[in-house]
Amino acid sequence: MAKKSNVLLPETKEILSQMGLQIKYARLRRKLTSELVAERAGISRATLVAIEKGSPSVAIGNYAAVLHALNYMDKDLLLVAKDDELGRKLQDLNLTVKKRVEKRKVNG
């Protein structure tokens, strides 16, 4: 069975590339070797190099492991899609307000 390849838009490839570079700079600012970060993350050095290049074929779990190895930077992943303005606007457009049925007065 042939392996599926990811089809990414150029903009997405650029985002991954930028993210990889930012991870590399974070490692270098901390003066950590690629061998040490790879060991802490439980991945191979080759996988770390691929991450630092922004490779789309690397599992997101490996990106998270490297961020964690860089002093718990994986918590930044919680910011992804946190403030989904467009999604909230679309959701609000589809909200319907139910009208309440008037209560019948019982004459006694």
Side-chain angles (χ1 to χ4, degrees):
M1 193 170 184
K3 185 178 177 181
K4 283 186 176 180
S5 64
N6 293 338
V7 179
L8 296 177
L9 296 172
E11 183 179 348
T12 304
K13 288 180 182 179
E14 180 56 35
I15 289 169
L16 284 173
S17 178
Q18 184 178 350
M19 187 169 74
L21 194 56
Q22 289 173 207
I23 289 171
K24 181 176 184 174
Y25 288 155
R27 176 180 62 79
L28 294 174
R29 283 191 293 271
R30 287 163 176 73
K31 297 181 178 13
L32 299 173
T33 65
S34 57
E35 292 83 6
L36 179 62
V37 172
E39 183 181 330
R40 285 182 181 178
I43 60 173
S44 69
R45 188 176 168 281
T47 300
L48 178 60
V49 169
I51 288 170
E52 290 182 349
K53 289 182 179 179
S55 173
S57 64
V58 178
I60 192 167
N62 289 334
Y63 277 88
V66 169
L67 289 170
H68 186 78
L70 294 172
N71 297 356
Y72 309 104
M73 291 181 69
D74 54 331
K75 292 179 182 169
D76 291 345
L77 291 172
L78 293 174
L79 301 176
V80 174
K82 181 181 176 190
D83 296 320
D84 182 13
E85 289 181 37
L86 175 62
R88 295 217 185 259
K89 286 179 183 176
L90 292 171
Q91 182 182 30
D92 290 346
L93 288 174
N94 290 327
L95 292 179
T96 57
V97 178
K98 294 182 180 178
K99 291 186 176 182
R100 296 186 81 176
V101 178
E102 289 184 31
K103 292 184 179 179
R104 292 184 184 174
K105 291 185 179 180
V106 179
N107 291 332

